Amino acid sequence: MGWNRSEEFYEEAQKWIPGGVNSPVRSARAVGTHPIFVRKGRGCRLWDEDGNEYIDYVGSWGPLILGHAHPLVVEAVRKAVENGTSYGIPTRLEIEMARKIVEMVPSMEMVRMVNSGTEATMSAVRLARGFTGRKKIIKFNGCYHGHGDSLLVQSGSGVMTLGIPGSPGIPEEIVQHTLSLPYNRLEDLHQAMARIGNQVAAVIVEPVAANMGVVLPHADFLPGLRKVCDEHGALLIFDEVITGFRLGPGGAQERYGIMPDLTCLGKIIGGGLPVGAYGGRREIMQKMAPAGDVYQAGTLSGNPLAMSAGLATLEVLSRPGVYEELAEKTAYLTSGLEAAANDSGVPVTMNVLESLGSGFFTQGPVVDLETALQANTRAYGVFFREMLKRGIYLAPSQFEAFFVSLAHEKKDLDCTIEAAGPAFMRVREVFGA
Ligand code: HOZ
């Protein structure tokens, strides 16, 4: 397998685009190589500019739960584009999308469409502040809620991968209102709330963290958040940009039976087109302009192509049995990978839920940022490169998730498990057991 063309494109890209990529997580620096440049995707497969073929476990970082270029999504977008790409005037597609989301996500009574997950979380935070009249926000270390100023504190995803603690350019006056606490540790939250509870507008959390690798909530964590928010009059915001429609039709909130006040969505609801959404209790959402006085806007919000792709995706996800199929496929893959890791003697901790997972190169357990950071990132880098050579495309960072789609078939999963054997062995040769 050669990557001459990708190398050339990467060199060229760096002349015109900072770091050669339009989002830091796409850089493969953390895994000791350069990005591949993609030419096309179909089903669970990708082809790069050198003609190499890969089984893809990134799926555009989560949206492609049906796989690349699903025929129903392609058809829906094709039909929509023939009527124009954007109007900046309401369409009935937006009502259909809002109705569908409200039907599927238990806590959401109203929803506002935006263009990215970052926009969704930024807007939800503004709304929480506007609704409560308070300034402070509590988040959790290793959770990533996009790159809005208030939330880029002790963040996961690219910030964690690159080892950037915060970011220059964000004024101290803004982040002084954000407190970041350890994930899964309710005692710390209780202590903080005892001090500043009456100033806290919202507690925002990834109900299943997926931006420090995948970290599952302890049984008492989400109920504890709900309780403490109620006690102190703060809103609870679930960032379900990754988990929404991924862990089941109603996301993490349905799975764990905890109703947040506001929910942020993105990724899957756009079927691979740029999208985000936030919504929740009617009483809170009615604060948004023009119904209320909290302002947020967007030229392309509710874009007809994104709505069409998203609706086609949600239609498929409403069919009986799809989540069972996704879970079965993922369980099959996970047990195969675990067996391959065990055979090689390399310690790997698999944190997996439904079709979302991570394999940490550490003995584990991985329950928060501190334990995630125990992972041997250089070992992951070796594993990533060995898998890439064998035609398996994983996230180019230890601290991201893998995503299984409906398009992954048993033969693809078998191929992946087969590739993992020698890849783990190579990790063992380099690092020992
Ligand atoms: N949120 C994703 C990473 N965990 C991908 C978005 C990005 O490009 O940062």
Side-chain angles (χ1 to χ4, degrees):
M1 209 179 244
W3 289 286
N4 293 343
R5 302 267 297 157
S6 278
E7 277 165 17
E8 279 163 27
F9 280 121
Y10 185 42
E11 232 165 75
E12 187 65 13
Q14 288 176 88
K15 290 184 197 157
W16 317 110
I17 304 169
V21 287
N22 278 314
S23 188
V25 298
R26 297 177 199 174
S27 156
R29 267 189 222 172
V31 287
T33 182
H34 55 80
I36 55 163
F37 279 70
V38 172
R39 186 181 296 163
K40 72 167 187 180
R42 182 73 38 92
C44 71
R45 299 203 172 230
L46 285 175
W47 287 263
D48 70 14
E49 292 282 1
D50 289 282
N52 302 312
E53 184 175 337
Y54 308 91
I55 300 171
D56 178 20
Y57 288 97
V58 175
S60 189
W61 302 93
L64 301 183
I65 196 162
L66 310 185
H68 294 270
H70 188 281
L72 292 178
V73 175
V74 172
E75 180 54 16
V77 174
R78 196 189 55 73
K79 260 197 183 148
V81 81
E82 280 173 1
N83 290 328
T85 52
S86 178
Y87 316 113
I89 303 171
T91 65
R92 65 168 193 235
L93 290 169
E94 293 161 71
I95 311 174
E96 274 179 53
M97 176 58 88
R99 193 186 292 135
K100 190 82 185 159
I101 290 175
V102 166
E103 268 169 26
M104 291 176 85
V105 184
S107 72
M108 291 174 87
E109 293 173 351
M110 293 192 102
V111 60
R112 166 66 61 84
M113 299 307 300
V114 291
N115 300 290
S116 68
T118 292
E119 253 191 83
T121 54
M122 270 169 41
S123 309
V125 163
R126 182 178 305 153
L127 173 56
R129 285 175 165 152
F131 183 78
T132 59
R134 300 171 175 187
K135 287 186 186 162
K136 294 210 180 293
I137 300 294
I138 293 184
K139 71 174 287 288
F140 296 94
N141 302 341
C143 286
Y144 176 70
H145 305 291
H147 60 88
D149 285 356
S150 302
L151 296 170
L152 211 56
V153 179
Q154 289 278 323
S155 227
S157 193
V159 182
M160 180 171 174
T161 299
L162 298 173
I164 300 172
S167 170
I170 301 178
E172 181 48 42
E173 292 81 350
I174 291 181
V175 288
Q176 74 184 4
H177 298 301
T178 304
L179 180 63
S180 191
L181 298 173
Y183 192 80
N184 265 334
R185 284 238 302 266
L186 279 176
E187 332 61 275
D188 293 52
L189 179 63
H190 285 133
Q191 279 169 20
M193 286 302 237
R195 267 189 302 117
I196 56 161
N198 62 354
Q199 301 166 52
V200 174
V203 173
I204 183 166
V205 68
E206 287 183 85
V208 172
N211 283 289
M212 49 178 148
V214 172
V215 174
L216 306 182
H218 291 160
D220 63 344
F221 187 56
L222 300 176
L225 297 188
R226 182 63 279 174
K227 189 158 175 282
V228 91
C229 284
D230 289 343
E231 283 165 4
H232 294 271
L235 300 188
L236 178 60
I237 305 175
F238 273 10
D239 176 346
E240 297 229 43
V241 170
I242 290 181
T243 54
F245 304 99
R246 167 69 54 188
L247 300 184
Q253 56 193 264
E254 181 178 56
R255 183 177 188 96
Y256 291 99
I258 302 295
M259 296 302 107
D261 300 295
L262 292 173
T263 300
C264 301
L265 297 170
K267 303 212 190 255
I268 288 175
I269 55 166
L273 274 83
V275 91
Y278 63 100
R281 275 167 40 208
R282 182 175 300 275
E283 173 204 9
I284 304 173
M285 289 305 292
Q286 290 285 24
K287 271 295 271 182
M288 292 312 299
D293 54 3
V294 177
Y295 200 74
Q296 173 271 316
T299 301
L300 293 172
S301 296
N303 175 268
L305 307 190
M307 297 303 94
S308 301
L311 282 165
T313 302
L314 297 186
E315 207 48 58
V316 176
L317 293 178
S318 304
R319 292 177 187 164
V322 289
Y323 285 99
E324 287 78 359
E325 182 183 331
L326 282 162
E328 267 168 37
K329 286 175 171 173
T330 313
Y332 181 82
L333 175 69
T334 307
S335 59
L337 293 177
E338 270 170 344
N342 284 341
D343 288 349
S344 71
V346 173
V348 174
T349 300
M350 298 292 284
N351 283 358
V352 179
L353 191 60
E354 299 290 329
S355 57
L356 177 68
S358 283
F360 293 92
F361 282 78
T362 177
Q363 204 68 254
V366 177
V367 296
D368 55 15
L369 178 64
E370 223 178 353
T371 45
L373 286 170
Q374 299 299 313
N376 182 341
T377 53
R378 288 188 311 124
Y380 182 83
V382 171
F383 185 71
F384 172 91
R385 297 195 301 273
E386 291 295 319
M387 292 297 269
L388 192 73
K389 269 201 261 181
R390 293 172 175 83
I392 311 295
Y393 188 72
L394 302 172
S397 164
Q398 167 71 97
F399 304 120
E400 299 286 357
F402 66 75
F403 299 92
V404 175
S405 77
L406 285 169
H408 287 90
E409 291 176 16
K410 187 169 174 292
K411 65 176 184 337
D412 305 307
L413 307 174
D414 284 334
C415 230
T416 309
I417 294 165
E418 214 169 282
F424 280 125
M425 284 301 185
R426 181 71 193 134
V427 173
R428 180 180 171 138
E429 274 166 35
V430 178
F431 294 97

